[in-house]
Amino acid sequence: MRTSEYVKQQQPVNMAGVGFRRWAQALSKGKGSGISALLSGCRAASGLSKDSLPGPYPKTPEERAAAAKKYNMRVEDYEPYPDNGEGFGDYPKLPERSQQERDPWYQWDHPDLRRNWGEPMHWDFDMYIRNRVDTSPSPVPWSTMCKQLFGFIGFMLFMFYVGEKFPAYQPVAPKQYPFNDLYLEKGGDPEKQAEEVKHYEI
Amino acid sequence: MADYREAPLATRPKTLDPNEYFNLSPEQRRAEEARGAVRANLKRQYQLQLNNPHRKELIEDPALTRWVYARANPYAHFRPTNKTSLLGAMFGVVPLFALYYIFKTDRV
């Protein structure tokens, strides 16, 4: 198909028409369905070629070797994610280590990311940058830290619960008013003698 | 610190790692040398491009391109299995119905 285009054509060709015709042909015999077939029919030639982009899970040893070479890794070091349909393909499974753990004194190509050019990036690279998740060794064992933190929080929660159940406060009584419970102020008859109200006991 | 135990978010410090002291067989050393050779080659490529006085454009990193491509196209390698279907249901279907039910029944 490509050799026929090499023949010099004298009459001008409408490239848009050619492109549209090729797109319709690709759609009709394409394997995809729906929007993905409409949109991803072709990729720009300016990017990487298809054999240097991530692909499906490698099944044969030759595929594994090719994938290791593609990702700039040794064949022994290359280990893809298990093929359980979660969308990883042949992407390598690198150790789950944050960038904070890497040597701060080595001359990295990108010092803030502590990464060299061309080095295979972890699937969760954007999680393991130095501003985010950090897996460096803790000064105290993790279990000790967990026990201390959750022990303290649990103890405080328990004490607050107990305090709700058994409240302890100053003794209070209903408010007491003078002048026989404010007999006159509440509109009692001034001629009549109000009943004596005593708020104390001796 | 002899009883230091690792955790998913806390690795073993290098000074407590037994591999630093015991696994020094020739195979290990050869492996390290091979890794160093790969690294040196990549460094050389990068430095050549970086210090090229005629370079006018950005240095493109194929590893970065591959990472972006891999993260953007997981559906190409997706397969419905028990686990993926369960995850899809938990994140996509259950919240829909649960939130609908909660919003409709629990009124302040």
Side-chain angles (χ1 to χ4, degrees), chain A residues 43 48 52-56 70-72 74 77 83-89 91 97 101 106-110 115-126 133-143, chain B residues 1 3-14 27 30-32 34-35 38-39 42-43 45-47 49 59-67 69-71 73-75 77-81 83-84 87:
Chain A
R43 231 176 321 119
L48 290 178
S52 54
L53 282 174
K70 174 171 73 176
Y71 288 110
N72 290 327
R74 281 173 73 234
D77 292 338
D83 186 23
N84 50 12
E86 281 175 4
F88 291 110
Y91 204 82
R97 297 273 179 269
E101 278 194 54
Y106 174 79
Q107 292 264 21
W108 300 100
D109 291 336
H110 306 291
R115 181 183 165 266
N116 283 324
W117 184 87
E119 190 189 320
M121 294 170 82
H122 193 282
W123 182 269
D124 290 317
F125 180 79
D126 49 351
V133 172
D134 184 16
T135 61
S136 28
S138 48
V140 176
W142 192 261
S143 51
Chain B
M1 265 288 200
D3 54 352
Y4 184 91
R5 275 208 315 276
E6 292 158 11
L9 285 172
T11 48
R12 183 162 279 270
K14 262 195 140 37
E27 284 79 29
R30 251 174 260 136
E32 285 293 331
R35 278 181 216 130
V38 171
R39 224 175 316 152
L42 289 172
K43 274 267 195 199
Q45 283 180 33
Y46 179 64
Q47 290 294 329
Q49 284 179 288
I59 305 177
E60 181 202 346
D61 189 355
L64 182 67
T65 316
R66 278 192 286 271
W67 178 73
Y69 183 87
R71 284 284 294 259
N73 301 314
Y75 189 64
H77 309 292
F78 175 78
R79 239 181 25 240
T81 66
K83 180 171 171 194
T84 55
L87 280 172

Side-chain angles (χ1 to χ4, degrees), chain A residues 37-71:
Chain A
L38 275 174
L39 292 176
S40 62
C42 53
R43 231 176 321 119
S46 55
L48 290 178
S49 58
K50 196 151 179 177
D51 59 349
S52 54
L53 282 174
Y57 184 81
K59 295 192 182 50
T60 67
E62 293 86 25
E63 281 179 12
R64 283 181 85 99
K69 190 161 181 348
K70 174 171 73 176
Y71 288 110

